[in-house]
Amino acid sequence: MTTAPTSTPSTLPPTRTARLTGAAANYIDERTSISGIVKELGRKIFPDHWSFMLGEVALYSFVVILLSGTWLTFFFQPSMAEVHYEGSYVPLKGLEMSIAYASALDISFDIRGGLLMRQMHHWAALLFIAAIGLHMLRVFFTGAFRKPREINWFVGFVLFILAMAEGFTGYSLPDDLLSGNGLRIIDGMVKAIPIIGVWISYLLFGGEFPGTDVVARFYSLHILLLPAVLVAALGVHMLLLIINKHTQFAGPGKTNDNVVGVPIMPVFAAKAGGFFFIVFGVLTVIAAFFTINPIWNYGPYDPSPVSAGTQPDWYIGFADGALRLVPPHLETVIFGYVFSWNILLPLGVLPLFLGAVAFYPWLEAWITGDKREHHIADRPRNAPVRTAIGAAGVTFYAVLWAAASSDLIATHFGLGIEMVIHTLQALLFIGPVVAFMLTRRICLGLQRKDREIALHGFESGRIVRLPGGEYIEVHEQVDEYERWKLLAYDDYQPLMLRPNARGQITVGERIRSRLSGWFYEDRISPVNQRELEESSHH
Amino acid sequence: MSKKTTSDRSGRGRNTGRRHPLATVALLAIGLMTTGGAYAAVTTAAAADETASPAVTQSTIDEGQVLFDANCASCHGLDAAGTENGPTLIGVGSAAVDFQVGTGRMPMARNQPQAEQKPAQFTDEQVTALAEYVASLAPGPAIPDEEYLQADGDATNGAELFRINCAMCHNVAGAGGALTQGKYAPTLRGVLPQHIYEAMQTGPQNMPVFNDLNLSPEDKADIITYLKYIEDNPAPGGFRLGDLGPVAEGLFMWIFGLGALVAVTVWLTAKSH
C-alpha cells in the first residue's frame, strides 16, 4: 500500500519521500512477508450499498468505547469501601457512599473532560449495540447468513450477546441507585432458579446482596475478560468477512461468482476512515450536549429506595419487559419450595428466542434443503416467509421492549398502566402472528407487482386516444438494468416427501417436508425467458 | 409570627435576667390582647388555628364562604361535610385548600382518576379566602411558615430524604411517574415551595401524608431545597432529555444517533447521477 507513490510514470525520477517509503516498505516486507496480506486485503471489494455500512457503525463506535473506556479506567476506582463525598456536587456533599460512586462523581465533576468522556463512553455503548441490532436485521432480511456465512452469523450473534454483557456490567459499575436496582433484579432472577439459584447469588455477590465485592468483580469482567473475548470474536468476524467475501445485490454483471464494488485500497479505506471520524464526531456532539445516566441524580446505592422510571439501558429492555408482562401470582409451592414462574417463565422464553436467532441459518437451510453457496443478497420480498418470520420476531421483541417502558407510555399518553400492560400482553401473542401474515401477503403482492412490471412495464400516466376512439394508457418498459433486479432471484419448490435409502419415511422428514411446504407453497415464480420474449411481442 | 415563636422559645430557654423586669408582664399583656382581639374577630372558636395569619378576618371568611357555596358546594356539600361526589373538608385545614385550589386542581374539570394541575381558577386573594373559610370550620394543617420555604436548607439531607420517601413515585429528579388505575405522580418542576410543602403535609390525591413526626418541618424544607437546587442549577451533562432515564436515552440514540449515521451511510454510498 505504501508503495503506491512509486508507481508514478517512470519518466520522472522518484522523489525523496517516495524513495524513503519504498525503502521502508521493502524493509518491512523482507522481514514479515506482509505484502501478500496487504495485496490480498487491499483488493478486498466492498459493494456500494448503504445497508452494508451498518456493521461499520458498530465497529467504529466500539473503537470509541475502547478509547473512552481506557481513559475512564485511569480515574475510576472499583471499590465498595465507604467514604464521605467531598467533591463539588452540592446535593451529595458529606454523604456516605462507596468509593466507586465517589470516583464516578469525581470523573463527572472534578476531572477535566471527565463528564464528556463518561457520556461519550455510555452513548457509544448505546450506539454500538443499536448498530449491531440494525446490522443483524440487514443480514437477516437479505439472507446474507446463508451458506457460506452461517458461522459468521453465529459469531456476530456472540458479539451481540457479549456487547449486552459489556453494557450490563458497565451499567452496574458506578454503584448508584439505578445500577443497584438493576443488579437487584438480576439477583432476584438468579435466586429464582430452583435449588442452585441462591448458591449462585451468594457466589456472585460474595454473600448476601449487595455485599462489598460485586463492583470489583464486574469491573474485572467489564474491562478484562469480556473485552478480550469480544475483540477475539471481532477478529474472527472480520477474518470470515474477508474469507467469505462480501454479498451484493443482484444487478447486471453482478453474479454469484464475483463481487462488484470498490477495493479497500485506496477508495474504501478513505471512505471508511472518513466515516470513522464522522461516527466519532457524532458521538462527541451527542455527548457534549445531551445528558446520559446522570448518576448524581440517583444518589449512592441503598437497597431501600427505588426510583419511578427505573429502567435498564435499552438493550436489556426486552428482558425487563418480559418480567413486567408476566401475570402476577404465578407460583407453585412444592415441598415448601417456591417456584416463581413469573420469573422462571421469562428466564426460559428469552433464551429460546435468542437461540432461535442464533441458529436460524441452520434451521432455514434444513427446511429448504438448500446446500448451495449464496453470494447474492435477497431482496426481502423475494423470500416472503423468511421476511415474515423476521417481522414476527421484530414484533415480539418490540412488544417486550415497549413493555419495559410501560410506565412512561402510561404517563406520556395519558393511559392507565394496567391497560398498557394488558394490551401489550395480548400483543405479545397476537402481534407476531398478525405481523407474519401481513408481511407475507405484502411480500407476495410486491413480487406480483414486480412480475407485472417486468412483463408489461409500468404505467406511464400518458393516456392516448386511438383512431377508433378507444383510450389506452401507455405502458413503458423498464430498462434492462432495472429489469435485471426484478428477475434475478431463486425459485424454490417445496421439498417432496421421499423415502430414504432404507425405504423409510422418518418423522423428521415429515416435519421437514411440512415446513418446506409452509415456506414455499405460496410463491411467485420469477419471470422466465419465454414469458419475457412473449411479452415483448405485444 | 415565626419571629414571635422563636423569641418565645429562646426567652424560655435561657432566663438570663437581662430583660427589663416588666418585660414578661408587657409580653403577657400584648399576648392576651392579641388573642382576645383575634377571638373577638373570629367568632367561631374552631378558627383559633395555632398559626392563623393575622389577616384572617370575618369578612375574608364570609367571602370564602360565598366562593365556596358557588364553586365547591355542589360536590363537597353546603356544609363542606362531603357528598357522594366529594369528600368532607371538615378538618383538612387551609394548607389543603391552598394546594388544591392554588394549583388549579380544584375545582375539578370533570370526574377523572385524579385532579389534574391546570391554571388556577381563582386569584390569590380568593384562594386565601377559601382556605380561611375551610380552616374556620375545624382545625387542620395551616399554610406553612415562610421560613421553611426559602430553599436554603441542607440539600444533601433533602436529596436523601427525597430518594427514600418520594422518588418511587416522583422519580429521583422529580420528573413524575405512573401510578395504578390511570393515576400518576406529577412532575415537581416549577411547583412553588409552598405547594410542595402543603402536598407533603396534606397528602393530596394518592399521595401519602408526611406529617411532622414523619418528616419534620426542617426535613420538608431540606427537600424543597434539593428540588429547587436541581431546578435552578443548569444540568451538568447538557440537555436533560426529560430526566426520564434510560428509556429516553435509548430512544434518543436510536432516532437521532443511529438515524444521523444511517443518513451518512446513504450519503457515502450515493451514486452521482
Side-chain angles (χ1 to χ4, degrees), chain A residues 48-50 53-54 57 89-93 95 109 115 119 123 126-127 130-131 134 177-178 271 275 278-279 282-283 286 289-294 296-300 305-309 311-314 401 405 407-408 410-412 415-418, chain B residues 154-157 159-160 163-164 167-173 176-185 226 229-230 235-241 243-254 256-258 260-262 264-271:
Chain A
D48 247 359
H49 192 272
W50 67 269
M53 299 183 87
L54 297 171
V57 177
Y89 188 64
V90 175
L92 291 171
K93 264 196 179 151
L95 205 61
F109 293 108
L115 185 55
Q119 299 205 131
W123 279 123
L126 294 198
L127 178 67
L134 208 58
L177 189 57
L178 188 65
K271 263 192 182 182
F275 192 35
I278 290 174
V279 173
V282 166
L283 281 171
I286 290 176
F289 287 105
F290 296 95
T291 309
I292 187 163
N293 195 15
W296 52 88
N297 275 348
Y298 293 106
V306 179
S307 167
Q311 269 101 1
D313 273 348
W314 77 260
W401 199 16
S405 49
D407 53 334
L408 293 173
T411 50
H412 283 70
L415 303 166
I417 193 164
E418 292 86 354
Chain B
D154 178 354
T156 304
N157 184 42
E160 195 174 18
R163 283 192 294 272
I164 294 170
M168 56 275 288
C169 299
H170 286 287
N171 153 318
V172 277
L179 300 175
T180 54
Q181 308 291 345
K183 291 169 287 202
Y184 60 92
Y226 168 64
Y229 181 90
I230 54 173
F239 293 105
R240 298 167 182 272
L241 301 180
D243 282 326
L244 294 175
V247 171
E249 293 158 4
L251 206 60
F252 182 86
M253 187 35 92
W254 269 92
F256 296 102
L258 200 54
L261 289 169
V262 166
V264 171
T265 62
V266 173
W267 171 59
L268 280 177
T269 51
K271 290 188 181 67

